Amino acid sequence: MKRPVRTLFYGLKHEHSAGKLLTLSKMKDDFEIVAVADDRARTTPSYRADPLPLDGLKIVGEAEALAMRDVDVVFVEVANNDLMEIARIYAERGVPMHCDKPCGETMGPYLEVVEMCRAKNLPMQMGYMFRANPGVRFCHKAVREGWLGDVVHIEADMNHDYGDDSYQKYVGTFRGGILYNLGCHLIDLILPMMKGGLVRATNVTGTAKGDGPDCLNRCAALLEWPDATALIRSCSRVPGGLPHRRLRIDGTKGTIDLCPIERFDGEHLTLDLTLSESAGAFAAGRHSVDLGVQTDRYMDQLRELAEIVCGERPNPAELYDHDLKVHEITLKACGYDKR
């Protein structure tokens, strides 16, 4: 019988830390959390609204966590701008990791960490939360198999209405604002559907009316590839929040509209598929595709990590280049290359 992988959960300041801990608590056959490293004394800007599910877990200081050697995998869940500092330590040690995002406001530190991992064939799973999403996987399959013809335009948003005034100020601590914090999720899912290299990125960084000029909570980018464009946007003052997040793909032979991108209210996740001619199992015309009920955002992706660490599936080497490209385009989309 397979034993669960011994897991160090490093950090409590990341916005996803509470959600990841909740998911891991449901996966005791896959992960054994041997310790949680408490980074809350750090002063790096962060925001986390969800209560931390710490009951029954061993909480240790960072020094004690760094002294631990008998772990199979580390979850790097420190504040955004501390991620690469901790990821580098475990890349040097050769410890497989799940590392949250985004990967830093410059390219260099992340590039160094990825190349360390590549040289060792070391798993470095990035925390892009839509990777196991059934709607996104359907979209990737439809594009890959040519159901939509040639993609000409994609629109995607990460709008929401959560967060108090401190959240608005928090996203303003990044030069790329809220798009830097959230846009990487969209770029991760868009990139496999585009052909060729990015031609141009046009960035808009602004503030929602009524918030201070430094909040940077109303941002967008137009991304241009040789034969297609993508518009990505995010604002933290849009009523309806998560249920209104959308991914729309327009192709020469069809369209897909996935809205919401995800849902955890017990209702079925669905998307609209329109085809000019039959493709896959679908006739020409409009279809509402039922993707079932989502119960957890992270579980399927984390189960893949456990299987990789246990040697039950190969480490996906192609993700090193993909993840580097995601971060490179994220920085361009947020205007970092022009500052």
Side-chain angles (χ1 to χ4, degrees):
M1 180 177 175
K2 172 181 89 170
R3 69 168 176 84
V5 295
R6 290 175 55 81
T7 303
L8 171 62
F9 196 91
Y10 199 116
L12 295 171
K13 293 192 72 173
H14 198 279
E15 294 149 79
H16 288 169
S17 59
K20 298 277 175 70
L21 280 171
L22 275 174
T23 295
L24 289 173
S25 72
K26 307 172 192 173
M27 302 181 71
K28 289 184 169 56
D29 290 341
D30 297 293
F31 296 95
E32 176 195 359
I33 301 178
V34 297
V36 175
D38 190 347
D39 65 331
R40 287 175 290 183
R42 291 184 176 228
T43 59
T44 308
S46 64
Y47 181 85
R48 192 198 63 253
D50 299 327
L52 290 164
L54 298 177
D55 289 350
L57 296 176
K58 179 182 179 182
I59 312 300
V60 301
E62 291 193 68
E64 184 175 348
L66 289 169
M68 297 176 65
R69 298 289 176 162
D70 187 21
V71 296
D72 301 316
V73 66
V74 61
F75 278 63
V76 183
E77 295 291 334
V78 292
N80 282 333
N81 283 348
D82 291 338
L83 288 167
M84 288 306 104
E85 171 197 340
I86 304 304
R88 183 185 183 93
I89 291 170
Y90 288 96
E92 289 173 341
R93 292 183 181 182
V95 179
M97 76 181 84
H98 174 93
C99 182
D100 229 309
K101 55 82 232 165
C103 307
E105 295 186 84
T106 60
M107 194 70 193
Y110 179 55
L111 175 62
E112 291 176 0
V113 171
V114 171
E115 294 306 338
M116 283 185 208
C117 293
R118 190 202 304 267
K120 301 175 183 180
N121 191 32
L122 186 68
M124 184 182 184
Q125 183 186 75
M126 292 306 303
Y128 297 124
M129 64 189 188
F130 297 136
R131 283 202 171 165
N133 178 289
V136 172
R137 288 188 167 180
F138 182 97
C139 292
H140 285 170
K141 174 181 173 68
V143 170
R144 185 173 61 249
E145 297 186 1
W147 300 0
L148 307 184
D150 295 316
V151 172
V152 294
H153 187 66
I154 294 175
E155 290 186 32
D157 79 64
M158 288 286 286
N159 294 334
H160 64 75
D161 60 355
Y162 63 75
D164 53 18
D165 288 346
S166 66
Y167 178 86
Q168 316 310 322
K169 294 175 182 177
Y170 161 65
V171 293
T173 64
F174 307 118
R175 287 179 292 148
I178 194 172
L179 197 65
Y180 169 74
N181 193 36
L182 298 178
C184 52
H185 290 302
L186 301 178
I187 291 168
D188 177 64
L189 65 87
I190 288 170
L191 188 56
M193 298 187 282
M194 295 300 195
K195 296 178 180 178
L198 184 72
V199 175
R200 186 181 300 108
T202 304
N203 167 262
V204 177
T205 302
T207 301
K209 187 174 178 61
D211 289 314
D214 297 328
C215 289
L216 303 183
N217 59 358
R218 175 185 56 82
C219 302
L222 180 65
L223 306 174
E224 301 175 62
W225 279 265
D227 300 309
T229 57
L231 175 64
I232 62 172
R233 51 199 175 90
S234 187
C235 179
S236 58
R237 294 298 197 187
V238 178
L242 303 184
H244 290 172
R245 288 179 172 176
R246 165 174 261 124
L247 170 64
R248 179 183 171 90
I249 308 162
D250 295 328
T252 56
K253 293 183 180 180
T255 66
I256 292 177
D257 192 5
L258 173 62
C259 183
I261 296 178
E262 60 179 1
R263 65 187 311 166
F264 302 100
D265 58 359
E267 298 295 326
H268 286 230
L269 183 69
T270 63
L271 60 78
D272 289 329
L273 170 68
T274 303
L275 298 171
S276 62
E277 56 188 60
S278 61
F282 300 94
R286 185 172 181 177
H287 307 268
S288 178
V289 181
D290 189 335
L291 300 162
V293 176
Q294 283 185 283
T295 58
D296 191 283
R297 173 187 279 169
Y298 308 112
M299 186 175 291
D300 288 343
Q301 183 186 18
L302 299 188
R303 183 166 289 119
E304 289 179 4
L305 176 62
E307 291 171 356
I308 292 168
V309 172
C310 291
E312 296 173 355
R313 69 162 66 202
N315 181 35
E318 67 277 6
L319 283 182
Y320 296 123
D321 285 333
H322 171 85
D323 291 346
L324 285 171
K325 186 62 65 176
V326 169
H327 191 51
E328 177 189 337
I329 294 174
T330 296
L331 294 180
K332 290 180 178 179
C334 295
Y336 283 94
D337 59 326
K338 298 178 176 64
R339 300 175 190 177

